Every structure is written in C-alpha cells, then in structure tokens.
Amino acid sequence: MGLIDNHPMLNAYPDSLGNTLAGAVAFLQDERVKGAFSSFYILPSLFCSDLDRGFSVVEYELNNENATQSDLDALRELGIGLKLDFVLNHLSVQSPQFQNLLAHGENSPYRDFFLDWNRFWAGTGEVDETGVLVPRQAYIREMFFRKPGLPVLMVEFPGGVNKPYWNTFYQQVDVDGDGKKRYLGQMDLDIRSPLVREFYRQTLERLAGFGAKIVRLDAFAYAPKRVGAKNFLNEPDIWELLQDITDMATPLGLSLLPEIHAGYGEKIYEKIAAKGYMAYDFFLPGLILDAFETGSGEYLARWAQELVDKGIRTVNMLGCHDGIPALDLKGLLPEERIQRLISVLVQRGGFVKDLHGEKNVYYQVNATYYSALGEDDRRLLLARAIQLFMPGKPQVWYLDLFAGKNDYKAMERAGAGGHKEINRTNLTGKQMREGLEKEVVQKQLALLKFRSQCPVFRRDAEVTIHAQGTGLAITWQANGQTATLQANLATAAFTVRVSHKAGVRDIFQEGAV
C-alpha cells in the first residue's frame, strides 16, 4: 500500500458547494482557499445512484447532473487527489445487473451475482408461509442485523416465481395501479462469484481513472458471509477479501481506507492498522468535545499517544456526512462520561441515532460540529487547530469550515429518518461568498494552509503530547524545525508557534493561553 500525503482533505457531496461539482472546483480555485487542501473526498452521489444520498450505487459512472469529466480534469490540474467510495457489500436494485436478474430470472448471467437467501441457508431451517427459509436460532443467534426481521427482499421472477434475496440495508417495494412491482433497495453481492470479483476489478480501474488516490471501502465488513458466522467482520474472511482488493488496487496506485464503526475496546482499528491499512479516527470528534466540556485533555492526549506509539496511520475529522460517533467511544471514555456528553449534544439540538434500531444503544449524534460546540467560534478554531496537530491526515467537512448550524428545516423536509440532513446543508454560491468573508472561516483556512505548507508535518516527524489541568500541548519536530500548539481548553485560547534555526515565531495567537 503506497503512502499518501499528510495534508488536509476537503469533504463534501458533489452538490454541496454551489449546486454542482463545478461550484466546488471554483471554491478550491479561489485564492483565499487555494493551497489549503491537497485532497478532496467527494461523496458517492458523484455516481449514478438512487437512494441514501449516493450510497445505493446504480453504476460507477458520473452522475452528469452533479459532475462532469471537465470538473475532474480541473481538480487534477489543481493537484487535488480524490478520495472516492466503493461500496463492496451491495448494489442498487436499479443496477443493470439486478435489472437483468429481474428480467431473466434463472436464465440471467447475474443469477449468482447476488445472494439467493434460501440457497445460501439451505439445510439450516424451514421455509415459512412467505417462501423465506428461516434458519434455526443456532445459526442466526450471533448474527448482526441492521434492521428488524430477516434481511431479505422477496423478488418476483418471470412466470410469477418469488425468491428472497439477501438485503442487509434499505429496501422498499411499490405496487402501481396495474399491480406491477417496483423495487428500491441495496442488494447484497455474492463475493464468491467470479463476476463479482471482475466487477470489483473494473470498478477500481474506473475510480483510478476518475483521479482517485484513496478508495474508502464502505460497508466492507458485511461483505463476507458464512453459515454459522455472525456475518459482520467475519475472520479470517474479511482479511482475505481485503487482501484480494489490495492486490487489485495497488497496481492502480490506490490506497484503501476500510470504514467501520466499533467500540474502542474491540480494537478493530488496531487490527486494520496492523494489516497495513489506514484507519478512520472516529474517536477524535467525541474526544475533543469531551475535552471542552470537562476542561481536561487527558483522554485526548492518551489517544494521541497511542497513535504515536503504535504508528497507526489515520484519516481524522471533526464533522462528516454521518453523525458525531458515540459508539466508537465505548471503552475509551468512561460510560458515564459518554452519556453526559451525549446529553450535552442533545441539549444543543442534536439527535441521537440508536444502534440499528435498538433502543438504549447509542450509535451517533446527528448535529453539525459547530452546533455541538455550542456555536462558539473560538471553540471551533481550537478544535480545528487540535485536529490539525493530531497525527493523521485531516479531513474537513465543508459545513464545519463555514461554521454551519443545525439545519432543522432540512430534517423536516426529509421526513422520517431524515435526521442526518441536519448537517448536510447545500450552500449556494452567494452563501459561500458570504461565508468566506467570516473571520472564523478565514482563520480556519489560514490554519489549514499552515498545516499544508509547513514542512514539519511529515509522516516521520516526532510528535509529543502533554495534557495537564486545562492545558494541552502538541509538538511536531522534524528536520531541525518544531511546531507547537499550546492551548487552554477552558478558555479556548491557543498559540501556534514555530521554531527553527532562524528563531521562534508565533503563527497564531487566539487569546491568552
């Protein structure tokens, strides 16, 4: 796996900044922004998709309503490498492959491309009155389901024959006035199929052609399935699959970023890192918030030290297209501290998403990071500074950069299940221009340019972290140069100082530390 650069990465949907990807390109071309980012994580509505704002992919081709090849060419001219999504576990019902299956049934070349539920579970249970094989409890007791009931979609083949197909995530069946069924959903792939493996290879080639340097593997932990296993992060199956994908990706110059949420105590992030992959730092957003609320950076410093000691390469963030992770903090922060933090975020307008529909098992809090911080500019600036001094490659959610507030109207428009829209406000060109005039935006951009351009922020730099009382200090040293963040978590005051042979210079000063 090749190493990628250590510089900041913008994160947005293709229509987040000015309605189409062209607006995001213009934003990155703006002299006030140019030089702040070396990478751009474009979310998958870049592709032809139909649900889940891009994560139900129909085809890995450009959605021309959102983006064009000329937009990608312009990003390449700016020296911007892309991070793009590859959803290993499933494809949309509307994909050419599943549509062929619906049209031709048993005669379709894609019959084994998707998982026939009854065939997979043959011999493990009895078929119920709906035609679905119900495995005995011994087989499914430990399984990890994303929704209530068995994860199946009953599909009608030519001649009126119905068959259940594995469907881990979203599904919907509409019937028109003539009784014709229309399916929506994300259908699980059978990774044992040679056609699926060829599809994987072709998709990686396509992503590399679009300019991808990093490929985020979405829902990868659900892809390997085996009778008698929990069918979530099955071992050793998951590592064998990742190695196969790596063998396809490496010759294309692609680095893989497996995406998974799990409690800290499970140490899955450590397993991913030990296999040579980058890991998502889903712990940082909550740790920074906790540090502000308690006035102590003890746990934040402890996590940063672990990254240094174990040489774990990460992509970190404050906000993102999903919520602020809470499940990930289990085992890292005391339980009562997590619950207290969640309560504070809810008081500030956030919404708790439970784990896969189970009550009293938190998963994430949906809110903008700015609102989670109490809509405090100084806290946002210090949070950004801490992120930029943490080990890892910083990923910046566009709405955080613009100090975006919770968007309750967007939630209302989205209806039931639309809680994530609270942090996905699309900005018009006018809103972007006005935002770039804000002091909190300009100062964040200055910090980002500093992180991008200061040579001390190398992967081989020596990083030290100290937390005492309300104080936090993070120092990077490399090639005779030192950069230090000195912060007061109680007041959100901080200083960024650089020292080298020519002397010492304060780069930023926000309040008295």
Side-chain angles (χ1 to χ4, degrees), residues 191-202:
I191 66 170
R192 301 166 298 184
S193 165
L195 281 179
V196 169
R197 293 308 177 105
E198 179 61 16
F199 167 73
Y200 283 172
R201 186 188 64 76
Q202 291 176 355

Side-chain angles (χ1 to χ4, degrees), residues 41-44 47 55 60 83-87 207 216 218:
Y41 172 23
I42 310 175
L43 284 151
F47 311 124
F55 284 95
Y60 286 90
K83 172 183 160 188
L84 300 177
D85 279 288
F86 183 17
V87 186
L207 298 181
R216 174 184 180 270
D218 181 76

Side-chain angles (χ1 to χ4, degrees), residues 117-131:
W117 175 271
N118 285 4
R119 191 148 58 96
F120 182 90
W121 292 104
T124 68
E126 303 296 328
V127 176
D128 67 12
E129 66 279 3
T130 69

Side-chain angles (χ1 to χ4, degrees), residues 107 145 147 191 240 248 263 324 335 392 423 482:
N107 296 319
F145 291 152
K147 56 194 178 186
I191 66 170
E240 294 169 358
M248 300 177 198
I324 297 167
E335 183 64 26
N423 188 30
T482 300

Side-chain angles (χ1 to χ4, degrees), residues 44-45 84 103 175 185 213 233 325 347 375 491:
S45 50
L84 300 177
V175 181
K213 301 299 180 185
L233 205 74
Q347 289 168 16
E375 299 180 1
T491 65

